[in-house]
Structures are given as structure tokens and as C-alpha cells.
Amino acid sequence: MNELKDKKILLHACCGPCSLGAIEPLLDDGADITLFFYNPCIIDGEFERRLEALTTVAEHYNLPLVVPPHDYSFFTSYAQDYATAQEGGARCSLCMDDRLKASAKYAGENGFDFYTTTLTVSPHKNSKLIFSLAECIKSDAPFLPRDFKKRDGFLLSTRRAKELGIYRQNFCGCEYSFNNAARRDGGV
């Protein structure tokens, strides 16, 4: 018997494409998914583009979508001291921890059986770090440790994004990753 059959899962979604790499495996396991788009780290303008893409995904799979208020200044309040930190370093750890804590809190307060995140879809995110951050969070809803990049999750996400014609970004979402991508790509 499948451990997730009919279980309520809060899926923290960083964007539409990454959610596509997590939704199908969870649905295949019989999970009842609600998408949670909490991402204060995403710059204005980009936030709206990603929300539009995720809304398309939610409608495609007929999934509920929860969108807390967006406050980029909250992200900068803790990230600005790490402005020059390497991508994937201390700033990113703080950001992932914030998103996991918000997801855990919402899941625990709203009767979810588990929460998890699409952050593990990206080959640029360290799933072991994400799992270790989640282990330190107390919640009535436990974290479901799934490395969605395994079994071609990232490939699935890019393929499905193309099929649905949704926006797929080339940076994590904050101004620091935007600037890194602009330098790398000669403009975003």
C-alpha cells in the first residue's frame, strides 16, 4: 500500500516548471496536492511571471494554489548581509530555510499530512542541504524528503513546461541570482 495515497501534501512551489517535476510523481503516488507559492526572494515583475506560469500548471492539474502576500523586503532584510556570497552558499541556505519554515507552518496549521518542496527538482539545488534544513523545523506536518530531480525529474519539468508553453526562467529569482545570470548570459 502506498504511504501517500489520499494524504494531503502541501507542495511548496518555487515556479511552474519545477512544480511539473514534482506534481506527477506525487499524483502517481495517490497524493492530494495543494500548491504553495511562498517566495519572498523573487524580485517584483519576475514574481508575477512565475505566478502566472504556476497558475497555468495548477489549472492544468486542477490543483488548489495558495499564494501568501509577496514581500521582497522581507527577503532583503536577511539576505543583504550576504549580497556577495557565492550562489548556493549562506544566502541561499537562509532563503531555502525561510521557504521551508513558512511551508511547514502553513501545513501544520491547515491539517496537511506532509509538506515538501519543488526546490529539489533543480540540479542547482543541494537536496541534502534542503533535507537537513527541514529536519530542524518543528511542525505538526512532517517534511516529506523527496529528491524530485531523481528519475529524470528535471527533464520531466523542462519537457512539460515546453508542452504547456509556460515561462521558464534562467535564474533562481532574487536580484543576486539575476545579476549572476545577466553576467553569465550577457543579459537575462
Side-chain angles (χ1 to χ4, degrees), residues 11-37:
L11 178 60
H12 166 262
C14 57
C15 64
C18 285
S19 70
L20 292 165
I23 290 170
E24 289 188 20
L26 289 171
L27 288 176
D28 288 346
D29 287 343
D32 176 11
I33 304 168
T34 295
L35 299 171
F36 186 64
F37 190 64

